Amino acid sequence: MTTADAVPVVFVHGTRFSAGQWSMQLAALRDEFPVAAVDLPGHGKRSAQPWSLSSATEIIASAVDSLDRGPALIVGHSLGGYAALEFARCRPERLRGLILAGASASTRGLRAVPYRWVAGLVPRIPADRLARWNDRLLRRLYPPEVVEATIRSGYAFHVLPAAWGEVLGRFGADAMRSVKAPVLILNGEKDVVFRSGEADFARAHPHARVELIPRARHLANFDDPDAFTDAVRRFARQLPAVS
């Protein structure tokens, strides 16, 4: 595949993070693919922007347009995966492929109860304390080159209640029926919660498959950046050409 033929790839970060989450993937893939990573509403450089899924889809669409290569492969992690599903529903003509990472659990019913509880708890804890906890956790678990861009970008705890408040109750495996492009469900092997519906999600789409990253948890692109990047690369190379 030549650079001119390469699939454009847009990365969408998870809860509380920003585009910095994808620093390792962007560095590894940019020589082969046109790549971009977005800040969702209320996150990163858009920290002052109110959250909404409709705004998230517009931001993803703008990133696709900025690469100027036609429909793109969207890679969404956790909250970003559900935003990517909404983008797939609203902007199918701009989607060439979809990777859902840590975003194949239903957000409806009893499974959503713990997340509603967390979304209600977070505003009660000072943001600076949450940031210190996150900094220490990330630095304890991962090498600096993996997490420093995320840490520098800060965290969006203030938007968590609104973001998950809109996502919860909205997405189940039936959301896959709105996706008109091939799908890779890419999960960490140990991400028990967010891969709980992966089989249902895969069955709901005629061109979806599941791939697991061994020993990885919810932040699979931090746990094994090379394996995560390789999975994205292989999937992007296999996508059919735009007719």
Side-chain angles (χ1 to χ4, degrees), residues 106-132:
S106 174
T107 68
R108 299 174 182 153
L110 291 177
R111 292 184 182 275
V113 171
Y115 306 107
R116 293 189 190 281
W117 181 80
V118 170
L121 177 65
V122 164
R124 303 178 188 179
I125 304 173
D128 59 344
R129 184 181 301 175
L130 289 169
R132 289 195 299 272

Side-chain angles (χ1 to χ4, degrees), residues 131-225:
R132 289 195 299 272
W133 289 348
N134 272 260
D135 287 351
R136 286 198 295 267
L137 178 65
L138 292 177
R139 287 180 171 135
R140 185 169 73 246
L141 293 176
Y142 305 110
E145 64 270 18
V146 174
V147 296
E148 282 304 321
T150 293
I151 292 171
R152 283 196 307 271
S153 298
Y155 308 101
F157 298 110
H158 66 287
V159 80
L160 192 152
W164 280 101
E166 190 174 11
V167 168
L168 291 174
R170 190 180 188 112
F171 294 98
D174 57 329
M176 296 286 284
R177 296 172 190 156
S178 298
V179 183
K180 308 303 182 187
V183 180
L184 173 63
I185 298 171
L186 181 61
N187 288 323
E189 178 189 15
K190 296 184 177 181
D191 187 12
V192 178
V193 172
F194 281 94
R195 57 171 290 216
S196 61
E198 65 185 20
D200 293 334
F201 274 59
R203 280 194 295 267
H205 191 282
H207 303 291
R209 64 179 178 86
V210 176
E211 182 170 340
L212 298 181
I213 297 179
R215 299 174 297 280
R217 295 154 295 191
H218 186 54
L219 292 171
N221 74 303
F222 286 176
D223 286 321
D224 196 336

Side-chain angles (χ1 to χ4, degrees), residues 73-98:
L73 166 60
I74 309 299
V75 183
H77 174 258
S78 194
L79 174 65
Y82 297 110
L85 275 172
E86 184 71 2
F87 173 81
R89 183 182 72 83
C90 296
R91 300 284 189 273
E93 76 284 355
R94 297 184 184 180
L95 184 71
R96 190 157 165 192
L98 176 64

